[in-house]
Amino acid sequence: MDATVEPGWEHCGRGASTEDPVGCRGIRVGQNSECLKHLNEEDRVEYFRSLVPGSNINLSGTEISRELLSSLLEATRVPQGTHSEFGIAMFHGAKFYDAGPRGADFIGGQRLAQLSDSTREAGGGFEGVVFRDRAFFIGARFIGPVSFAQAQFCDFALFEGVTFEGGAWFGTVGFQGQVSFSYAQFEGECWFGEAVIVGDASFDCAKFSMDAYFPHVRFNGNAQFSGAAFEKRAVFGGVKVGARMIFGEVSFNSNVTLGPLVCSGDIVLQAAIMRGAALVEAEAREIICRRASFEAPITIRARRAVVDLTNATLLQPCAVTTDFAPDRPQVIALENVTVSVSSIRGVDASMLLLSDTDLSQCSFAGTHNLDQLRLEGRWDLSSAPTGLYWHKGIPRWWVKRQVIREERDWRALPSRPPAARSGWGQPTRGTDPAPGLATITSTYRQLRKAREDAKDEPGAADLYYGEMEMRRHSHNWRHAERWLLQAYWMLSGYGLRASRSLGWLAAAMTATVFLMMGYGLPDSPPKQQLTGTVPANGGKATFEVEKPDPHNPTRDRFTLIRFEKALSITLNSVVFRSTGQDLTTTGNYIEMVSRFSEPILLGLGALAIRGRVKRGS
């Protein structure tokens, strides 16, 4: 509070001078012209005598010593009780000198020195005080340590801009309404252990210069720490939040522990800066880390939460994994506890480990070093639609495989034909446009390489299939590569579908057999004939050996004997051998085509079977 600006109340003004034209800023007491500090002893006693439990208190701008605070608490103490009660309490800009527990020390999250009974009787701080109405400490300053242990705030409490120069103790405090510590400065250690806050709690832009402890705090509403700065260790263990927990643009300059905690809404770490090692153990609806900066190792161990890492900066290793600990009392036991990752766009994947995560809705496009992404445990992508459907009388069959979210969004675009969109649902990217085919192809390629480098051929197979699918669709029918990829897809599913290649092989062999029976085998083996001319004078004769061309029979083409011959020729063609059987001209061409195509189909089938065996499916 600017010392040169007059406060918004009638103030004492004692000690005003040219250098300090305002003087004492303490509010005048009653009809007096002085504040409580500068009242004479008789008027001060009269003021305390006028107070009863539940009285409204206004000591804005007043400098309150330990003795004055003790007298104030004694004057408002409940008869035969151990606590004091205030009505509306206003301490705007007040200064408290040594108004806290003597000898209290907070180290490592434990209170080592307990408050003595003499301290309590002497009115050490606001321990056990009940604020029946609103409480205002806006801009107040606590010169020494202060304790609000077991205090009760029945309405909203405002500690905005308060400075705690010593330790601040809010253990087991009950806030029945909203509470605000916005812009407060905690220059000593602070402790909020087991506090209960029924309304929303705001610590926006607060500064914690020493260790800050929030163990087992219960926030029934929102818990907001936007823009706060934690210079030392921050601990939020066993916290329960009824709505959202917001750490937007928070600076954690030392180690931080968020959890184990349960949050009914979102945990927002958007644009947060974590310069120390961080551990997040939480059960929440969503953990939002967009544009967050992690300059030290961080582990996010969550349950049933959706983690968003869009454009997060990872300077050290980051691990996202599912927390499978069912015995943790702070965690609600659910059947499906797998953590989902919604986006890693803009992230350096070389620093990222995803373990036991659901990636069915994850956006990969735009990730840096995606080929270095590490996947451990069980991870699942989205599934393509399966089953038979008809389009213009032509049957189509979707094969079972895993796909990334970008492909699903592209296939579900309204601009594509209805038959091509069938079974793919609706785009899930909201207002973001689906990436182009070149981007999706590159994304599949990098993910495939990551799985191949990890010796995970089963995981790489579907990624390779998706890559080839996007390559096939990225060309129009005027490109030769589109026709080549189309044939590769139809004949063998890019070398991954054994049933398809073996089916085509069986169809080709069947066609070859019937073509051989109908047009390739002659009606009978051709016989050699000798022709020549014998001179009348008994001289030498010259003979020519001719072998007539075989020809198809006019009837009885499809007989058992001809079937056996045709089958023998076809089987030998598959292994690129010749039976030496005499064939018609048409049969020779049929055999050449068979000896070229069927070994290829057999090879594609063998390749697919080998991949299937390695995939264990």
Side-chain angles (χ1 to χ4, degrees), residues 312-390:
T313 301
L314 307 181
L315 302 182
Q316 295 292 330
C318 171
V320 179
T321 181
T322 296
D323 183 4
F324 290 108
D327 56 341
R328 184 170 293 147
Q330 293 85 6
V331 177
I332 302 174
L334 294 175
E335 292 182 2
N336 184 15
V337 299
T338 303
V339 63
S340 301
V341 179
S342 63
S343 174
I344 59 172
R345 289 180 295 167
V347 173
D348 183 359
S350 64
M351 293 292 179
L352 183 60
L353 166 65
L354 304 179
S355 177
D356 296 310
T357 53
D358 178 7
L359 304 177
S360 60
Q361 299 300 322
C362 183
S363 294
F364 294 98
T367 304
H368 307 297
N369 299 317
L370 186 56
D371 58 337
Q372 300 180 41
L373 174 66
R374 291 178 296 159
L375 300 174
E376 295 183 357
R378 177 171 180 174
W379 51 274
D380 298 298
L381 297 176
S382 180
S383 297
T386 58
L388 179 67
Y389 74 99
W390 296 83

